[in-house]
Amino acid sequence: MSAKQRAEATGKPTSPAAGLAVQWRGTSFTLPRAEDFPLEALEAEEEGKHLTALKLILGADQYTTWRGLASTAADAEEFSAAVMKELGRGNP
């Protein structure tokens, strides 16, 4: 989905260079725009390696911060829901 399509679908304007800011458990995480995700992350996701994909998308430092806050599968699901809510997709 292009930035234009995402803006139209969600009603949220997107800046060409802006990433996605997500607040979770009092910590701010910045994710790149979906079109800027590393191809390795997309490949990992296709292979069912969701945490590897997240690590590649967040980057090493942010992933380490996230892992300090997350310790269960439910935590990963909660973080994913927060990201999807910011994207304006799925069921918040």
Side-chain angles (χ1 to χ4, degrees), residues 9-48:
T10 64
K12 294 181 180 181
T14 58
S15 160
L20 174 69
V22 176
Q23 286 285 358
W24 189 68
R25 296 190 178 173
T27 302
S28 181
F29 295 90
T30 303
L31 287 73
R33 299 175 309 148
E35 50 269 11
D36 293 332
F37 284 1
L39 287 178
E40 293 86 357
L42 300 178
E43 292 168 342
E45 187 66 31
E46 285 181 350
E47 295 170 2

Side-chain angles (χ1 to χ4, degrees), residues 16-79:
L20 174 69
V22 176
Q23 286 285 358
W24 189 68
R25 296 190 178 173
T27 302
S28 181
F29 295 90
T30 303
L31 287 73
R33 299 175 309 148
E35 50 269 11
D36 293 332
F37 284 1
L39 287 178
E40 293 86 357
L42 300 178
E43 292 168 342
E45 187 66 31
E46 285 181 350
E47 295 170 2
K49 298 177 181 178
H50 309 294
L51 293 178
T52 299
L54 180 61
K55 186 180 218 177
L56 291 165
I57 291 166
L58 287 177
D61 291 341
Q62 287 193 114
Y63 185 80
T64 299
T65 299
W66 179 78
R67 276 295 286 123
L69 299 170
S71 59
T72 66
D75 292 339
E77 288 294 323
E78 182 182 311
F79 183 74

